[in-house]
Amino acid sequence: MSSTFLYGFHVPANGIRHHLLRYGGKGPKLLVVPGITSPAVTWGFVAETLAQHFDVHVLDVRGRGLSSSGPELDYGLDALATDVTAVLSALDWQEVTVLGHSMGARIAVRAAAHMPSRFGRLLLIDPPVGGPGRRPYPAPLAWYIDSIRLMAAGQPWEELKRFSPTWTEAQLRLRAQWLHTCDEKAIEEAWSGFHNDDVHANFASLTVPGLLMIAGRGGVILDEDAAEIARLAPGLKQVVATDAGHMIPWDDEAGFFRLLGQYLNLSFHPEGA
């Protein structure tokens, strides 16, 4: 199968440089906002398949990949959400489908709650639902920082096996190549935000419809969390990827696209699934 990748480019918005990768180029706009240590390129295999039906753009969240980085930047959730709405405004996109994974889903929820006119639909993939007074996020901060430091020191990709033992060699090699671009301050502030930022208020004010996909083996969203979100945001359809951990497309690519396709009423054909 030939690649649907077109090019990468930069957008100045919210006072910094944002890097995006474009796939497909046909169909309605879809923006992917990745998770805490996932530069845009690591979502390429998902974007390749999404591009069968969408004009897909994958964002390097600030402090990751080729977007602006550095100790002087604010990496809090409000800044990240403003980045997304500022990028959409700079590109003059309206009613965009936004797919966010993990941290990226939290960003999408807050951004859509603050500027719903730019969003047509949300595809939220296993967002952390912690916050003040809630249980801690199941992955410790050291899991992220230790792996970043190993790759920043040029250690071989095999060192990542103990962090992600179910991933393929190709997935680990790509992560090893790009993990060093994740700024430690950005990761620390995002992880702290999983515990300190209240996204439940954003769920309660959502007017944008969408999908909430829950990892059946992730331990991030429990049954009681799903029930609470259902009360707060009845416009989100909930589905469970029963055979996947938190990194759903990596654990069960076929299942991920099956659930996504059922919601979107589209048929996806991932090359590797």
Side-chain angles (χ1 to χ4, degrees), residues 177-192:
Q177 184 182 359
W178 285 89
L179 197 56
H180 75 281
T181 69
C182 295
D183 185 281
E184 286 192 21
K185 182 188 175 190
I187 307 313
E188 290 170 358
E189 290 192 19
W191 187 88
S192 295

Side-chain angles (χ1 to χ4, degrees), residues 36-37 61-65 68-73 75 145 148 178-190:
I36 185 169
T37 53
V61 178
R62 66 165 67 192
R64 299 147 180 95
S68 291
S69 185
E72 74 283 359
L73 294 185
Y75 295 107
I145 300 301
I148 291 170
W178 285 89
L179 197 56
H180 75 281
T181 69
C182 295
D183 185 281
E184 286 192 21
K185 182 188 175 190
I187 307 313
E188 290 170 358
E189 290 192 19

Side-chain angles (χ1 to χ4, degrees), residues 46 107 154 189 233 236 255:
V46 176
I107 295 170
E189 290 192 19
L236 293 178

Side-chain angles (χ1 to χ4, degrees), residues 53-89:
H53 299 287
F54 293 95
D55 182 6
V56 182
H57 294 69
V58 189
L59 175 68
D60 268 327
V61 178
R62 66 165 67 192
R64 299 147 180 95
L66 300 181
S67 288
S68 291
S69 185
E72 74 283 359
L73 294 185
D74 179 0
Y75 295 107
L77 182 59
D78 283 334
L80 302 183
T82 302
D83 283 349
V84 169
T85 56
V87 167
L88 295 179
S89 297

Side-chain angles (χ1 to χ4, degrees), residues 28-209:
K29 297 287 192 298
L30 186 151
L31 177 68
V32 176
V33 185
I36 185 169
T37 53
S38 294
V41 68
T42 63
W43 272 78
F45 74 104
V46 176
E48 292 274 7
T49 300
L50 291 172
Q52 294 169 9
H53 299 287
F54 293 95
D55 182 6
V56 182
H57 294 69
V58 189
L59 175 68
D60 268 327
V61 178
R62 66 165 67 192
R64 299 147 180 95
L66 300 181
S67 288
S68 291
S69 185
E72 74 283 359
L73 294 185
D74 179 0
Y75 295 107
L77 182 59
D78 283 334
L80 302 183
T82 302
D83 283 349
V84 169
T85 56
V87 167
L88 295 179
S89 297
L91 295 171
D92 196 24
W93 291 354
Q94 303 285 344
E95 297 187 351
V96 180
T97 295
V98 175
L99 186 156
H101 171 251
S102 191
M103 178 195 73
R106 288 170 64 90
I107 295 170
V109 169
R110 180 154 293 186
H114 288 172
M115 192 182 285
S117 62
R118 293 286 174 183
F119 297 78
R121 181 169 49 198
L122 296 175
L123 306 173
L124 306 175
I125 313 302
D126 213 41
V129 291
R134 297 177 181 270
R135 72 178 186 281
Y137 185 64
L141 178 61
W143 189 92
Y144 301 104
I145 300 301
D146 290 351
S147 59
I148 291 170
R149 290 178 178 176
L150 283 169
M151 296 305 101
Q155 294 300 309
W157 67 270
E158 288 90 346
E159 290 289 333
L160 294 182
K161 286 182 178 180
R162 58 190 169 96
F163 296 92
S164 304
T166 63
W167 288 26
T168 66
E169 177 178 336
Q171 291 167 346
L172 291 172
R173 283 185 177 276
L174 185 61
R175 184 167 176 80
Q177 184 182 359
W178 285 89
L179 197 56
H180 75 281
T181 69
C182 295
D183 185 281
E184 286 192 21
K185 182 188 175 190
I187 307 313
E188 290 170 358
E189 290 192 19
W191 187 88
S192 295
F194 293 169
H195 304 84
N196 300 326
D197 293 315
D198 178 16
V199 293
H200 291 78
N202 302 129
F203 277 117
S205 63
L206 271 185
T207 58
V208 180

